[in-house]
Amino acid sequence: MIHSRSQPLPTSKVQVTQQRVFIGDMQRFNTVEITSNTNAGDVIALIASQGSLDNTAVWMLFELANDFGMERPIRSYELLSDVTASWNKDKLLNAFVVKRTYLTPFLSRSNIPTSSPTNRGYVEYESKKGKWSKRWMELREHSLWLAKRDTGKDETFLCSLSNFDAYYITRKHKSPKPFVFAIKSTDNISLFENVSDYVHILSCNQKDGERWMEAILVARSYVLFQERHVLFAKPEESTSISNNLSRSQTRKQSISTRPSQPLVSVSAPFSASATATVTFEPGSLLAKHKGDVMS
């Protein structure tokens, strides 16, 4: 009689890498261990546990896209592996830095709106380096559209926030207006045939610029909640979700391509934030909240 011995099931090894994270500026940094499942909130907690942060409530992790001279706040639930996947590994210019910012509660998970915010107004659009044109821009359907006039008859699709986000310009940039910001893809540039489709530079006055940044950042949060449920799953749920869901492939888009609409409606609480000046889609709980604040 042959006795069989049960063999232990193979276990998947989690790859751990060391990541340098700067604190406040590029002069001081901490090293943390991260995996493919480490999000920005985990990094803030790790650095806080090392005694490097005095108040975690106002700190956020930022992506320094130094190859383009810009940066953006990384939401606590975003995966660092998704961010680094867009970097050019050959240049080694980009980095993570922890900064104080008023955007911390504003971009928290609890502040994800129940409807995608909208915004509209004239901006200066850099169609090519050094060439600026006045354009009417609209944020709606979590996408950005440009037109020569506010009638919108000649509008063209600029980008979808499914794979674009708002960035602050950190490098001196000659522009017709004082506030300069960018809308840059969160995918790798190798997926784009034309570099001009990868990043869009805009400028306007300070007040309007801050309003555009806030509206676009919130709209991107809304899209992430709609399309990346795995980011919001509890640790014990993430494995089963990732086995059943595969991330959709990013495709090169023509500027005339109209993005698809979400199939799932969001239901999430919202508290007072800097979005008080932003307009939201009809029926949004945010629109009601705005009216309560102003009354």
Side-chain angles (χ1 to χ4, degrees):
M1 185 180 214
I2 300 175
H3 296 278
S4 61
R5 177 183 296 178
S6 61
Q7 298 295 326
L9 294 174
T11 58
S12 58
K13 293 184 179 180
V14 177
Q15 185 176 3
V16 178
T17 59
Q18 302 245 331
Q19 179 67 53
R20 181 179 293 185
V21 179
F22 293 91
I23 314 294
D25 53 33
M26 304 300 287
Q27 302 302 316
R28 181 167 61 101
F29 67 87
N30 284 29
T31 301
V32 298
E33 291 186 344
I34 66 170
T35 70
S36 60
N37 295 320
T38 302
N39 61 34
D42 296 331
V43 172
I44 295 293
L46 284 169
I47 294 178
S49 69
Q50 295 171 350
S52 299
L53 305 179
D54 56 358
N55 188 344
T56 57
V58 296
W59 295 92
M60 280 191 78
L61 189 65
F62 274 68
E63 173 196 3
L64 296 186
N66 288 321
D67 48 356
F68 287 94
M70 56 189 66
E71 66 181 20
R72 74 170 179 95
I74 306 174
R75 300 159 187 84
S76 63
Y77 44 83
E78 290 187 70
L79 299 177
L80 268 64
S81 57
D82 286 345
V83 179
T84 57
S86 69
W87 292 357
N88 185 337
K89 302 299 192 299
D90 297 329
K91 291 186 177 181
L92 299 177
L93 291 174
N94 300 334
F96 293 111
V97 61
V98 179
K99 290 186 174 186
R100 290 180 178 272
T101 173
Y102 78 97
L103 293 170
T104 306
F106 174 53
L107 293 178
S108 69
R109 176 175 176 173
S110 62
N111 264 0
I112 296 175
T114 56
S115 181
S116 186
T118 64
N119 197 30
R120 57 187 57 82
Y122 280 105
V123 296
E124 295 290 337
Y125 174 66
E126 190 175 38
S127 55
K128 60 176 63 175
K129 188 172 179 60
K131 183 179 179 181
W132 295 85
S133 303
K134 187 177 181 179
R135 290 290 182 267
W136 176 260
M137 187 164 74
E138 289 196 12
L139 166 63
R140 68 176 192 275
E141 303 158 2
H142 28 273
S143 300
L144 289 168
W145 309 78
L146 289 179
K148 292 183 179 179
R149 299 177 182 83
D150 57 7
T151 57
K153 291 183 179 180
D154 61 341
E155 73 175 9
T156 56
F157 172 69
L158 185 64
C159 64
S160 167
L161 298 184
S162 289
N163 59 342
F164 278 78
D165 209 343
Y167 283 74
Y168 293 98
I169 298 293
T170 57
R171 187 181 299 160
K172 188 174 181 180
H173 199 99
K174 189 175 181 180
S175 62
K177 300 290 184 180
F179 191 96
V180 189
F181 64 103
I183 311 300
K184 189 182 80 66
S185 175
T186 54
D187 290 323
N188 194 284
I189 194 171
S190 62
L191 298 175
F192 287 75
E193 294 178 353
N194 299 319
V195 179
S196 59
D197 294 331
Y198 185 72
V199 59
H200 308 286
I201 310 295
L202 305 117
S203 76
C204 52
N205 61 49
Q206 184 76 23
K207 183 179 178 180
D208 289 342
E210 291 174 354
R211 186 181 181 190
W212 274 114
M213 286 293 297
E214 292 166 2
I216 295 169
L217 286 168
V218 172
R220 168 69 174 168
S221 297
Y222 173 85
V223 171
L224 287 173
F225 187 82
Q226 290 276 35
E227 299 180 354
R228 299 290 308 283
H229 289 281
V230 68
L231 299 179
F232 303 89
K234 296 178 182 178
E236 62 271 15
E237 297 173 348
S238 59
T239 302
S240 61
I241 292 178
S242 60
N243 289 336
N244 294 310
L245 297 177
S246 60
R247 187 177 183 185
S248 60
Q249 295 291 327
T250 303
R251 294 175 294 177
K252 296 172 182 176
Q253 284 187 313
S254 166
I255 197 169
S256 61
T257 303
R258 186 180 181 88
S260 59
Q261 298 302 303
L263 301 179
V264 184
S265 61
V266 174
S267 178
F270 183 82
S271 59
S273 71
T275 54
T277 59
V278 179
T279 305
F280 296 89
E281 297 285 7
S284 167
L285 293 181
L286 285 181
K288 180 178 183 301
H289 177 82
K290 174 186 174 183
D292 293 340
V293 171
M294 295 178 65
S295 60

